[in-house]
Amino acid sequence: ISEEEDDVITQEEQKSHQQRHRNRRILVGLCLAAIIIFVITDSTTTGYIKRAVDSLLKWVEENPVAGILAFTLFVFVATVAFIPGAIITLGAGYVFERAFGLGLGVLVGSITVFVGASIGAIVSFLIGRYLLRDCVDRLAHRYSMFEALDAVMKTKGFRIMALLRLSPIIPFNAINYISGITSISLLSYSLANIAVIPGTVLFVFVGSSTACIANNMGSGATVTIVAFVIGAVFAVFAILLTSFYARRELNKIIASRESEQVQGDVDIEEGVQRSDIEEAQNDVNELRNSIQC
């Protein structure tokens, strides 16, 4: 198979993978929307979720410190176990809003999820680097972007990792493990976790607002829903804008790296040609000297 055919196959595989990833995101979004609708509907009908949450809330209210620590541990285990964290983050917003109110609930929920996810991300990074390197290496082949970025991870690790966290190009849990086999330092990787804060706050806010709407059905629900929609629209717009910027910056870094590689290949080829010319010139000079002798 020629190099051109290899490139065509690689491009087709990348497009196929991107399409599958896009479909998964759409499916997750629809599932989250269905869950939110179900929770709001359940609050006015059967009340199954309300009774279950009330039992949990009673325990959290009676044991606030233990409740926060338990949820942090839950998020940590889910992160290491490769369990998607979107629903868990929504749940944190829902539970802590019921326990502490909307404002404090969003704050406590965001901090709890961030701490648990960050510790889980660091542990996953270390597992990928020292324990399951071969398995993670096979996983990394599914994301060719890392091969292009790895060369600059050592010098620009914090910036690149923060951009990856801000952009949903690669799933959060996959980044945690794959980063372990790159040249990024543990310090830069750990500090870059601050970039997950915007997305975390957004999901916690949505979960808390869902609980707030469910609690106020029939009494000022319209005002609550309008406030929730306006806040959610602005938050989603900000996240999308940030994601667009992050994706654009990553593409610039990749394009710059590919340009450097092409220039390096050209320099090597020119160097080989110069060397061949010099050797040929030396042979001619030796032949001329032999004839003169």
Side-chain angles (χ1 to χ4, degrees):
I1 302 175
S2 64
E3 293 183 0
E4 293 182 357
E5 291 175 338
D6 285 340
D7 292 338
V8 171
I9 293 174
T10 301
Q11 291 175 0
E12 290 178 351
E13 290 177 348
Q14 290 178 350
K15 290 180 180 179
S16 176
H17 177 69
Q18 290 174 355
Q19 183 61 42
R20 290 196 301 271
H21 185 51
R22 190 178 300 112
N23 292 339
R24 283 198 296 268
R25 290 208 305 270
I26 294 173
L27 180 60
V28 170
L30 292 174
C31 290
L32 294 179
I35 290 172
I36 292 172
I37 294 172
F38 173 74
V39 169
I40 294 175
T41 304
D42 178 77
S43 66
T44 60
T45 54
T46 58
Y48 291 136
I49 295 179
K50 184 178 184 301
R51 287 194 293 272
V53 172
D54 285 342
S55 299
L56 176 61
L57 291 176
K58 185 178 180 180
W59 180 79
V60 173
E61 290 172 354
E62 294 174 353
N63 308 276
V65 176
I68 292 173
L69 291 177
F71 213 99
T72 302
L73 178 62
F74 179 54
V75 175
F76 162 76
V77 172
T79 301
V80 176
F82 231 95
I83 299 173
I87 295 177
I88 297 173
T89 308
L90 284 173
Y94 191 94
V95 169
F96 289 117
E97 191 280 335
R98 296 289 306 278
F100 303 108
L102 181 59
L104 187 58
V106 171
L107 177 61
V108 174
S110 298
I111 293 175
T112 299
V113 172
F114 173 71
V115 172
S118 296
I119 297 174
I122 293 172
V123 171
S124 299
F125 174 89
L126 296 174
I127 291 174
R129 174 159 291 186
Y130 298 110
L131 298 179
L132 301 177
R133 192 176 185 89
D134 292 337
C135 296
V136 175
D137 187 58
R138 289 193 295 271
L139 174 64
H141 287 312
R142 297 177 56 186
Y143 303 97
S144 57
M145 175 180 291
F146 265 94
E147 296 180 5
L149 294 175
D150 186 31
V152 291
M153 279 281 195
K154 190 171 184 178
T155 56
K156 300 179 180 179
F158 172 80
R159 180 189 176 194
I160 293 173
M161 188 55 56
L163 291 172
L164 286 171
R165 293 300 196 194
L166 290 171
S167 176
I169 297 175
I170 301 175
F172 177 81
N173 292 335
I175 292 177
N176 298 337
Y177 283 95
I178 297 175
S179 298
I181 63 174
T182 67
S183 57
I184 188 174
S185 67
L186 176 60
L187 177 61
S188 296
Y189 171 82
S190 301
L191 293 176
N193 281 321
I194 61 173
V196 306
I197 292 178
T200 300
V201 173
L202 172 61
F203 276 92
V204 172
F205 170 75
V206 171
S208 296
S209 299
T210 302
C212 190
I213 293 172
N215 291 337
N216 293 291
M217 273 296 180
S219 58
T222 303
V223 176
T224 304
I225 292 174
V226 171
F228 163 68
V229 171
I230 293 175
V233 167
F234 277 103
V236 170
F237 176 75
I239 294 295
L240 291 176
L241 186 63
T242 303
S243 176
F244 171 78
Y245 168 77
R247 186 186 296 265
R248 188 180 65 178
E249 291 299 307
L250 285 171
N251 288 336
K252 286 182 180 179
I253 294 172
I254 293 173
S256 175
R257 178 58 188 170
E258 290 176 347
S259 177
E260 291 176 359
Q261 288 178 337
V262 171
Q263 184 61 45
D265 293 340
V266 171
D267 292 341
I268 291 174
E269 185 175 349
E270 290 179 351
V272 171
Q273 291 177 349
R274 284 196 298 269
S275 178
D276 291 341
I277 293 173
E278 290 175 357
E279 289 181 2
Q281 186 64 42
N282 291 334
D283 292 340
V284 170
N285 291 335
E286 290 179 2
L287 180 60
R288 184 183 296 133
N289 292 334
S290 299
I291 294 174
Q292 289 176 355
C293 293

